[in-house]
């Protein structure tokens, strides 16, 4: 990575991961209360404590469901047109695994707002690990992406490492009943507790029937370089914020999803002479490139 971070923001989720109903509550209230998170009655409106209010705001921003806008010298939080409004239309209660995978992709690729999540999926290649292993490696990886004069709290760093685990797999060491609620993202199948060794976790690929190939297309469109209509399969597997990295995919599994996308007319693939290149359908590319940082509305249907 060429550009290093001049600051790192840790524990912005107040140690609370996304909980069932939280995102829906925020999305439902924002149209009527764009200054929701600065209101004294925010706790009452959301039905949660003060730290949870801050956490809900953080997750709405980090997932890309909402964004801050300056309106008449005031900062308001509004639902994003490219993603938030689309989810409001198709899946307002966040019941579809497709939606949850999109939220995961947005979190795990957000180096600024979710730095430890980014490092865990992009820079940590261990398939089986303990929390201590993870902390040691990510501590080194975090130092690599920071400017030399940037410091951070070790305790906040460890809190975020714990939050990553709790986001995707129940943390067996957590004894706080107030924080012992599973995140909806634990249903994605990206991280599980080892069945053979206590205190050990395993990175896993999603079950084949749970991951829609259109999630792969979404990631490809987000990463697409403007003016370039092709990408190597190796980049899709190992590149920064790639489908392979964010979804723990092996090359055979990635190729299966690419073949599905080809069959549906979104891409073409050239595997002859060792090229292993993917080419975007020009009509689809032209239509969706402006929305590559959000969820393309037509991504849920086959191209016409």
């Amino acid at each position: 990575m060429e550009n290093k971070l001049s600051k790192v923001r840790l524990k912005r989720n107040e140690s609370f991961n996304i909980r069932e109903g939280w995102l829906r509550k925020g999305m439902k209230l924002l149209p009527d209360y764009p200054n929701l998170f600065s209101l004294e009655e925010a706790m009452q409106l959301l039905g949660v404590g003060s730290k949870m209010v801050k956490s809900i705001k953080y997750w709405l921003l980090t997932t890309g469901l909402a964004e801050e806008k300056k309106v008449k010298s005031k900062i308001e939080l509004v639902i994003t047109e490219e993603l938030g409004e689309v989810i409001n239309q198709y899946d307002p209660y966040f019941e579809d695994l497709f939606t949850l995978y999109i939220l995961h992709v947005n979190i795990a690729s957000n180096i600024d707002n979710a730095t430890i999540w980014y490092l865990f999926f992009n820079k940590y290649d261990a398939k089986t690990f303990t929390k201590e292993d993870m902390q040691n490696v990510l501590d080194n990886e975090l130092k690599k992406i920071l400017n030399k004069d940037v410091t951070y709290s070790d305790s906040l760093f460890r809190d975020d490492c714990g939050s990553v685990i709790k986001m995707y797999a129940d943390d067996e060491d957590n004894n706080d009943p107030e924080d012992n609620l599973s995140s909806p993202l634990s249903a994605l199948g990206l991280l599980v507790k080892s069945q053979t060794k206590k205190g050990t976790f395993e990175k896993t690929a999603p079950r084949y029937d749970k991951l829609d190939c259109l999630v792969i297309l979404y990631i490809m469109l987000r990463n697409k370089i403007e003016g370039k209509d092709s990408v190597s399969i190796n980049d899709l597997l190992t590149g920064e914020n790639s489908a392979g990295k964010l979804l723990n995919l092996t090359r055979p599994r990635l190729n299966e999803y690419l073949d599905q996308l080809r069959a549906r007319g979104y891409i073409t693939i050239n595997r002859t002479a060792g090229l292993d290149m993917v080419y975007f359908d020009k009509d689809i590319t032209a239509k969706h490139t402006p929305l590559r940082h959000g969820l393309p509305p037509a991504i849920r249907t086959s191209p016409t």
Side-chain angles (χ1 to χ4, degrees):
M1 181 177 299
E2 295 182 358
N3 298 321
K4 292 195 174 185
L5 299 181
S6 58
K7 61 181 177 180
V8 59
R9 295 173 286 187
L10 303 173
K11 202 178 176 179
R12 299 188 67 206
N13 66 338
E14 301 291 334
S15 290
F16 292 106
N17 284 326
I18 299 170
R19 292 185 176 179
E20 291 286 350
W22 272 15
L23 299 178
R24 170 60 181 167
K25 285 181 180 180
M27 297 273 280
K28 186 176 181 180
L29 289 168
L30 279 181
D32 294 325
Y33 301 94
N35 59 339
L36 171 66
F37 294 97
S38 61
L39 296 176
E40 291 184 3
E41 60 267 34
M43 289 187 291
Q44 181 180 352
L45 289 168
L46 290 166
V48 299
S50 59
K51 288 187 176 181
M52 293 183 180
V53 169
K54 294 179 182 178
S55 184
I56 292 174
K57 178 182 179 181
Y58 166 77
W59 287 119
L60 287 172
L61 289 168
T62 303
T63 56
L65 292 170
E67 62 184 342
E68 291 181 323
K69 284 191 174 180
K70 191 172 184 179
V71 180
K72 296 181 179 179
S73 74
K74 292 183 178 180
I75 300 297
E76 296 183 348
L77 204 65
V78 298
I79 297 172
T80 55
E81 180 180 351
E82 297 87 352
L83 180 63
E85 294 294 354
V86 174
I87 288 178
N88 263 344
Q89 178 181 356
Y90 288 105
D91 188 21
Y93 294 97
F94 299 86
E95 296 173 320
D96 194 331
L97 275 179
F98 183 89
T99 301
L100 297 181
Y101 277 115
I102 296 303
L103 299 184
H104 157 70
V105 167
N106 289 355
I107 293 168
S109 59
N110 194 331
I111 189 173
D112 293 315
N113 280 353
T115 308
I116 306 305
W117 281 257
Y118 164 86
L119 291 175
F120 178 71
F121 284 97
N122 278 282
K123 305 296 182 180
Y124 190 48
D125 294 327
K127 300 303 180 185
T128 303
F129 60 93
T130 65
K131 188 185 296 185
E132 290 72 23
D133 295 334
M134 169 190 174
Q135 290 171 351
N136 290 335
V137 174
L138 293 192
D139 186 41
N140 289 328
E141 292 295 336
L142 180 56
K143 288 180 171 65
K144 291 179 183 179
I145 65 170
L146 297 178
N147 287 330
K148 290 182 179 180
D149 58 343
V150 179
T151 60
Y152 54 90
S153 163
D154 183 62
S155 63
L156 297 185
F157 165 76
R158 286 186 278 106
D159 284 341
D160 270 5
C161 288
S163 286
V164 170
I165 290 177
K166 287 185 287 184
M167 173 81 84
Y168 300 98
D170 293 332
D171 184 358
E172 60 190 13
D173 296 325
N174 179 37
N175 297 314
D176 184 355
E178 289 297 317
D179 197 32
N180 195 26
L181 295 176
S182 296
S183 161
L185 272 64
S186 63
L188 301 183
L190 296 171
L191 185 63
V192 297
K193 291 188 291 186
S194 172
Q195 298 298 311
T196 59
K197 191 173 181 180
K198 185 176 181 180
T200 300
F201 299 87
E202 298 175 2
K203 272 190 175 185
T204 53
R207 266 180 41 186
Y208 184 75
D209 59 343
K210 282 192 172 185
L211 179 61
D212 193 313
C213 66
L214 294 179
V215 176
I216 311 300
L217 180 62
Y218 171 76
I219 297 173
M220 292 165 64
L221 291 173
R222 288 182 90 248
N223 295 335
K224 183 182 177 297
I225 298 173
E226 187 172 356
K228 189 174 181 180
D229 292 330
S230 64
V231 61
S232 72
I233 293 178
N234 190 60
D235 283 346
L236 297 178
L237 182 69
T238 64
E240 182 179 351
N241 295 328
S242 64
K245 289 289 189 180
L246 299 184
L247 299 171
N248 303 330
L249 298 180
T250 61
R251 183 178 290 270
R253 178 69 71 84
L254 174 62
N255 276 316
E256 290 179 15
Y257 291 122
L258 292 177
D259 286 338
Q260 289 181 29
L261 290 172
R262 176 175 58 181
R264 297 176 67 169
Y266 288 105
I267 62 173
T268 56
I269 306 173
N270 188 344
R271 295 191 177 99
T272 60
L275 286 177
D276 283 343
M277 294 294 294
V278 171
Y279 300 86
F280 296 95
D281 178 271
K282 290 185 178 180
D283 292 334
I284 297 299
T285 301
K287 186 175 183 179
H288 296 304
T289 295
L291 297 175
R292 66 183 181 277
H293 295 299
L295 174 61
I299 204 171
R300 302 180 68 84
T301 59
S302 298
T304 55

